[in-house]
Amino acid sequence: MKTRFTETFGVEHPIVQGGMMWVGRAELAAAVSEAGGLGIITALTQPTPDDLRREIDRARELTDKPFGVNVTILPSIKPPPYQEYVQAIIESGVKIVETAGSNPEPFLPYYKEAGIKVLHKCTSVRHALKAQKIGVDGVSIDGFECAGHPGEDDVPGLILIPAATRALDIPVIASGGIADARGLVAALALGADGVNMGTRFMCTQESAIHPTVKEQIVANSERATQLIFRTMHNTARVADNEISRKVVEIEKAGGTFDDVKDLVAGARGRRVFEDGDLDAGIWSAGQVQGLIDDIPTCGELVSRMVSEAEALIQQRLAGMIG
């Protein structure tokens, strides 16, 4: 399936595994890339820039296909050494970077000089237009259905994707609520050049998270999420559990970030993925959980999506004409 995205970023299929904290490791990224999609290692999952270098080397041992590295820049009391992580990416010869969070403009000259293609993750058309203006090579646009941070506009993908593709000249990747061939075909019909999947790739054989978490994603319906940090204007969609429900209750009672910071600590969320304790902390998951009913290999998932998408286009949709 050739699109502007596959041609610009040099991959076989228009399917991306976006960066995910504690999830985007070498095994998963390499498996997605080996299957013909674009796998992405999450830089800040690695404790240091040198650890990131080693993780990139591990991915290269598993695949000779293109893969990327995610660099998410978020406000922090003690910011990571972003410049050092960027330098590690450049020195490792990675040619694709997914950026997210704050404006990536300060780092773009370094990426461009190294011949790196940049895919920036956005949650609104206005942010996507700004990203295009500063020179990124493509944008991934997140609808309200997505896991993680959907922004504050509450615009679902069915509206956001065509609104973005109508306004932009660079390739657009649709993200949020996509798990199968139906989502891929729908995204292409809405004008996107490919899809990004997070929760769906969490629930694969090569994903390093605990099997109990994967089994819970399969068991969950589309209603099994909570929106936290709404009152703080930093909305995040996470899995429904004891902790996320408690955070929402505290917010509704007028609580501040100080009242929930211990509940939402990253170390607690990491324990969910590593130990399989589903109520140890908050963990990101999208409404798309309701469409996930198995735990395939990445190869099986990508192959199935592409073949079923082709069948949908050539048979079911084509059969409606005439």
Side-chain angles (χ1 to χ4, degrees), residues 34-142:
E34 191 67 16
L38 177 60
I40 294 179
I41 292 170
T42 307
L44 297 184
T45 293
Q46 302 304 314
T48 70
D50 283 339
D51 287 308
L52 176 58
R53 287 183 173 91
R54 286 188 282 272
E55 193 73 359
I56 291 169
D57 288 342
R58 286 207 310 123
R60 284 222 173 89
E61 292 172 1
L62 297 169
T63 185
D64 58 2
K65 303 283 184 68
F67 61 86
V69 176
N70 166 280
V71 181
T72 298
I73 302 172
L74 294 173
S76 174
I77 296 171
K78 187 180 178 183
Y82 290 114
Q83 186 66 57
E84 294 178 30
Y85 277 97
V86 169
Q87 197 61 33
I89 292 167
I90 292 170
E91 291 174 357
S92 297
V94 171
K95 293 303 179 185
I96 299 172
V97 166
E98 178 190 62
T99 56
S102 299
N103 188 340
E105 189 169 11
F107 300 103
L108 280 182
Y110 302 102
Y111 294 138
K112 293 296 183 181
E113 186 178 348
I116 293 172
K117 299 288 186 183
V118 176
L119 180 67
H120 185 62
K121 191 175 288 186
C122 310
T123 60
S124 70
V125 175
R126 62 185 183 280
H127 292 149
L129 284 168
K130 177 65 182 296
Q132 176 177 269
K133 185 177 180 180
I134 65 174
V136 304
D137 300 284
V139 295
S140 177
I141 194 95
D142 282 3

Side-chain angles (χ1 to χ4, degrees), residues 293-308:
D293 56 14
D294 64 352
I295 309 172
T297 66
C298 291
E300 291 167 345
L301 175 60
V302 172
S303 175
R304 182 172 70 198
M305 281 185 67
V306 172
S307 61
E308 290 182 359

